[in-house]
Amino acid sequence: MSVWIIALNTFKEAVRDKILYVLTVFAILLILVSRGIGWVSYGGELTVTTDLGLMAIWLFGALIAIFIGTGMIYKEIDKRTLYTILSKPINRWQFVLGKYFGLLLTIYVNLAVLTAVFFGYLAMVGAPVTLALGQALALTFVEMTVVTALAIFFSSASTPVLSAIFTFLLFTIGQLTKWVVDLGSVLQQSAPWAEKMLLALYRVMPNLHNFNIRQEAVQAHELHKALAISPGETLNVVLYGLSYTAALLLAAIFVFRRRNF
Amino acid sequence: MTIAADANESAIRTRALRMVYHPGLMQRSKVALHSLNLDVPRASIYGFLGQNGAGKTSTIKILVALQMASAGRAWIMGTDVIHPAARQHIGFMPENPYFYEYLTAIETLVFYGKLSGMHGPSLTKKADALIEQFGLKQSRNTRMGEFSKGMRQRLGLAQAVLHEPAVVILDEPMSGLDPLGRRDIRNEILALRDRGCTVFFSSHILGDVADICDRVCIIHKGQHVAEGPISALLNQKVVEVEMAFSGIGPEGLPRLAEQARRAWHDGRLYRLLAADDDEALRLRAEAEAGGGTLRAMIPHHESLEEYFVRVTGEEGELKLLLDRAAEAASKKNAPVEGEKAAEAEEGAPAP
């Protein structure tokens, strides 16, 4: 119950943050101008429109998580609003989860709005609105649970600036993990230790590349496929995302429980 | 020393409470609390006094679970403060309370009420009643961002008492308030005690403390140097006698001015301060011989402020040194017993 009360309050706080609207407006603008970019691009203009729209939703979702999430817990400490909350009969883990779910709710509502704008726009310009696109967006939603957990983890331990840097860094590395493995394979012969190190890095870092099936989703229509990836693969990716999120939240709770304010 | 708390005895109890801050590598640790023992009786107003940095806020933060003690234990109404259930008994107002600026006064109280386990129409009704009681009715739907410091302080107290806790802990509740605001908070503290609530508060405003507290504890450098009812702590001897005479002009009487501790004309009466009763009688006779007529004679006893200065000054330093020396000596003489006692304390179940 306390988690929900704090989550709802966090949602109220986040929807009053101007940066949310700035980012949302930019995302909508990007979706709307994607047709124009499609006209001047090589290849099918509707494909480019769809591709850019998916990317805009993903990118701006992540930016909201980073910009709002990384300051979330620190702000409570800095403004001392935390004092009156933690003195109530609640556990610290409830506070951390409340902040997390509140921010996630904000991001989901935002992504839902962007998805509605995106699908509406696709229908308007005559591009196909497929199940594969829905699948790609669903995995974007799951990816945001991981990115939000990253932001909350760093926010529970550090200042907003450092949290934003770390979260952005891990978010970027997370997109490149596939290349980390490829690089390891290349180095297998010349530097086996480097391969082992890269493999360890691959296992620890959030493998956000797993959630990126946007290209496959755009091509699914042309290839006459209903889904971008199989349901089994989708389930694996979802389970990975949820497990990674749970681990990050446990780490955030562990750090936050030990802090003195 | 026993560590187990008697649930029926104290509203707040601490045993061997110690707090050490570790600022970071290459920096010396700072001991904020040295083995603090407190017993705050139920349904009383308990003033917790000390200079800046004495350890007041550290103690309060441990009691409300914002900090974890480095050693020792604390109980609220018999429940160890490390359990969230202890906070069901607490209402807490921090120094200069801050609230979410985007929430209105009523939303703020409802939010805190829900966190305290309240819900439904009874919560809104209670929140509205408190808003009215604390004179915030006009600002019920005003966002906290527009609240003045005094208004925030009053709402801070309202959120602390909303769920009718048995213990209310206030950190500097009167700081920065105007006289009217201070009077309101003082009256509310008295009303809380009359309803059977225990009020534990820290303050620098010793006049307010002396007016309303049943007991006080003074801590100095993390250790308590005095504790008890104010009347029992203060020196009951007359420490000064003030007299006022008419019939003596602003120029005064030179002999009186030389003998008195202080002599001055306040524009209406000539006033003298004598060190004790005997000196007062002597000065009175001389003043009357010089044409003065006695209008008032007021014996002054030691004030809480004077007592505070005394016990946190040289006298307090000496007591600390002696206490620490005695503690060190007892540890040195009986290390085995000390360790056993510490182990027993560690293993003692929460009452």
Side-chain angles (χ1 to χ4, degrees):
Chain A
M1 185 64 183
S2 297
V3 173
W4 175 241
I5 295 163
I6 294 167
L8 211 60
N9 193 54
T10 305
F11 176 74
K12 280 185 188 173
E13 180 188 5
V15 294
R16 283 165 171 87
D17 202 323
K18 287 190 187 88
I19 196 156
L20 179 74
Y21 298 98
V22 172
L23 290 172
T24 308
V25 167
F26 268 109
I28 291 172
L29 280 177
L30 190 57
I31 291 170
L32 298 182
V33 301
S34 59
R35 187 83 196 276
I37 298 171
W39 282 330
V40 296
S41 303
Y42 176 75
E45 66 188 52
L46 289 179
T47 307
V48 173
T49 303
T50 312
D51 207 8
L52 273 176
L54 284 175
M55 197 204 71
I57 294 171
W58 162 77
L59 182 67
F60 285 93
L63 288 179
I64 290 167
I66 294 169
F67 281 118
I68 299 181
T70 51
M72 199 137 249
I73 290 180
Y74 181 85
K75 213 158 70 181
E76 297 268 1
I77 302 166
D78 191 44
K79 293 198 167 181
R80 288 186 280 173
T81 42
L82 186 81
Y83 288 12
T84 36
I85 293 177
L86 291 188
S87 64
K88 300 296 177 200
I90 63 162
N91 288 294
R92 288 193 179 188
W93 63 263
Q94 290 173 310
F95 178 77
V96 175
L97 289 189
K99 296 309 281 183
Y100 171 74
F101 285 118
L103 178 59
L104 196 62
L105 182 66
T106 313
I107 292 168
Y108 275 13
V109 168
N110 190 270
L111 290 188
V113 169
L114 292 180
T115 300
V117 171
F118 175 56
F119 280 168
Y121 187 65
L122 287 185
M124 205 178 80
V125 297
V129 179
T130 64
L131 193 60
L133 291 183
Q135 192 187 18
L137 285 168
L139 287 191
T140 299
F141 274 57
V142 179
E143 184 178 354
M144 289 312 129
T145 65
V146 182
V147 180
T148 307
L150 265 178
I152 290 289
F153 168 70
F154 286 118
S155 179
S156 69
S158 188
T159 61
V161 175
L162 283 178
S163 303
I165 291 171
F166 289 138
T167 310
F168 191 75
L169 208 65
L170 283 192
F171 173 70
T172 311
I173 293 172
Q175 306 300 326
L176 305 173
T177 43
K178 187 175 173 289
W179 286 278
V180 171
V181 180
D182 292 345
L183 185 64
S185 311
V186 172
L187 295 171
Q188 196 175 19
Q189 297 299 323
S190 56
W193 59 270
E195 191 218 356
K196 278 183 186 154
M197 215 178 72
L198 288 170
L199 207 62
L201 193 71
Y202 169 77
R203 287 194 177 129
V204 175
M205 292 290 132
N207 194 351
L208 301 177
H209 185 79
N210 277 349
F211 303 100
N212 182 1
I213 56 162
R214 290 184 290 277
Q215 202 61 46
E216 291 88 334
V218 174
Q219 287 164 357
H221 182 67
E222 292 162 16
L223 301 172
H224 305 291
K225 282 164 69 180
L227 292 173
I229 56 172
S230 73
E233 281 177 284
T234 311
L235 186 66
N236 272 344
V237 175
V238 170
L239 287 177
Y240 171 78
L242 296 182
S243 309
Y244 205 95
T245 300
L248 280 172
L249 290 177
L250 281 174
I253 289 166
F254 179 77
V255 170
F256 192 71
R257 277 185 67 179
R258 298 166 67 88
R259 290 192 69 176
N260 281 330
F261 303 107
Chain B
M1 183 206 310
T2 174
I3 204 92
D6 179 348
N8 295 319
E9 199 178 313
S10 306
I12 299 173
R13 190 175 172 102
T14 70
R15 284 295 173 271
L17 209 58
R18 185 176 166 83
M19 188 71 204
V20 184
Y21 293 107
H22 306 282
L25 291 172
M26 313 297 285
Q27 283 176 293
R28 284 184 64 182
S29 299
K30 183 183 179 292
V31 181
L33 286 177
H34 281 277
S35 195
L36 183 73
N37 296 332
L38 283 177
D39 284 283
V40 179
R42 294 185 183 202
S44 65
I45 302 176
Y46 196 92
F48 193 47
L49 313 176
Q51 295 172 348
N52 289 334
K56 301 188 299 294
T57 299
S58 292
T59 309
I60 287 177
K61 283 183 173 179
I62 292 169
L63 294 177
V64 300
L66 288 171
Q67 295 190 347
M68 277 155 279
S70 309
R73 292 175 74 183
W75 297 266
I76 302 279
M77 303 299 284
T79 308
D80 197 315
V81 294
I82 61 170
H83 300 300
R87 297 194 291 284
Q88 192 68 54
H89 303 297
I90 303 176
F92 170 56
M93 180 173 84
E95 187 178 2
N96 302 323
Y98 281 88
F99 301 104
Y100 295 111
E101 296 194 345
Y102 52 86
L103 293 182
T104 63
I106 184 72
E107 285 171 342
T108 301
L109 286 190
V110 168
F111 170 66
Y112 286 111
K114 283 180 179 170
L115 285 180
S116 304
M118 301 169 78
H119 49 80
S122 62
L123 168 58
T124 318
K125 206 173 152 189
K126 175 82 184 172
D128 268 324
L130 281 173
I131 282 178
E132 190 164 352
Q133 183 185 333
F134 283 93
L136 297 168
K137 200 175 173 186
Q138 302 297 321
S139 313
R140 181 187 187 274
N141 298 313
T142 304
R143 287 189 198 283
M144 296 307 299
E146 294 167 37
F147 266 44
S148 68
K149 183 175 178 171
M151 289 162 82
R152 274 207 303 268
Q153 204 92 341
R154 275 184 272 167
L155 198 83
L157 192 52
Q159 65 79 27
V161 301
L162 179 65
H163 59 297
E164 297 180 1
V167 179
V168 174
I169 298 174
L170 311 170
D171 193 4
E172 300 286 352
M174 283 109 166
S175 105
L177 289 182
D178 59 27
L180 279 180
R182 271 168 51 195
R183 188 201 60 190
D184 290 346
I185 299 275
R186 227 170 29 222
N187 288 343
E188 186 53 36
I189 290 174
L190 288 167
L192 282 169
R193 193 262 316 269
D194 293 345
R195 291 201 293 269
C197 183
T198 307
V199 184
F200 178 89
F201 77 101
S202 69
S203 183
H204 280 115
I205 304 168
L206 299 180
D208 290 333
V209 174
D211 283 351
I212 62 173
C213 284
D214 299 310
R215 293 178 80 90
V216 294
C217 172
I218 299 177
I219 62 167
H220 184 53
K221 295 188 176 171
Q223 213 161 344
H224 98 260
V225 289
E227 201 275 337
I230 295 174
S231 56
L233 293 176
L234 303 186
N235 192 343
Q236 294 304 306
K237 273 174 46 187
V238 171
V239 293
E240 215 166 44
V241 181
E242 184 180 345
M243 290 177 290
F245 297 92
S246 60
I248 302 175
E251 68 285 355
L253 300 170
R255 263 182 62 78
L256 281 178
E258 275 169 28
Q259 290 175 44
R261 189 174 272 188
R262 196 176 153 220
W264 75 102
H265 199 280
D266 67 4
R268 204 166 64 86
L269 296 169
Y270 186 67
R271 292 180 179 272
L272 292 173
L273 275 183
D276 54 37
D277 288 334
D278 293 342
E279 189 181 275
L281 290 173
R282 213 172 45 248
L283 290 174
R284 178 188 173 179
E286 284 203 30
E288 285 175 342
T293 306
L294 183 70
R295 294 294 174 198
M297 191 167 184
I298 311 154
H300 287 181
H301 298 276
E302 186 178 45
S303 69
L304 183 59
E305 188 175 322
E306 286 158 342
Y307 179 72
F308 180 83
V309 171
R310 179 154 65 88
V311 296
T312 58
E314 280 177 17
E315 193 178 305
E317 293 287 340
L318 188 63
K319 186 178 182 302
L320 281 187
L321 283 175
L322 291 173
D323 284 353
R324 285 179 195 168
E327 196 182 313
S330 69
K331 274 184 190 166
K332 197 175 173 185
N333 291 338
V336 180
E337 285 80 355
E339 281 164 20
K340 278 183 185 167
E343 279 168 20
E345 287 169 2
E346 287 282 317

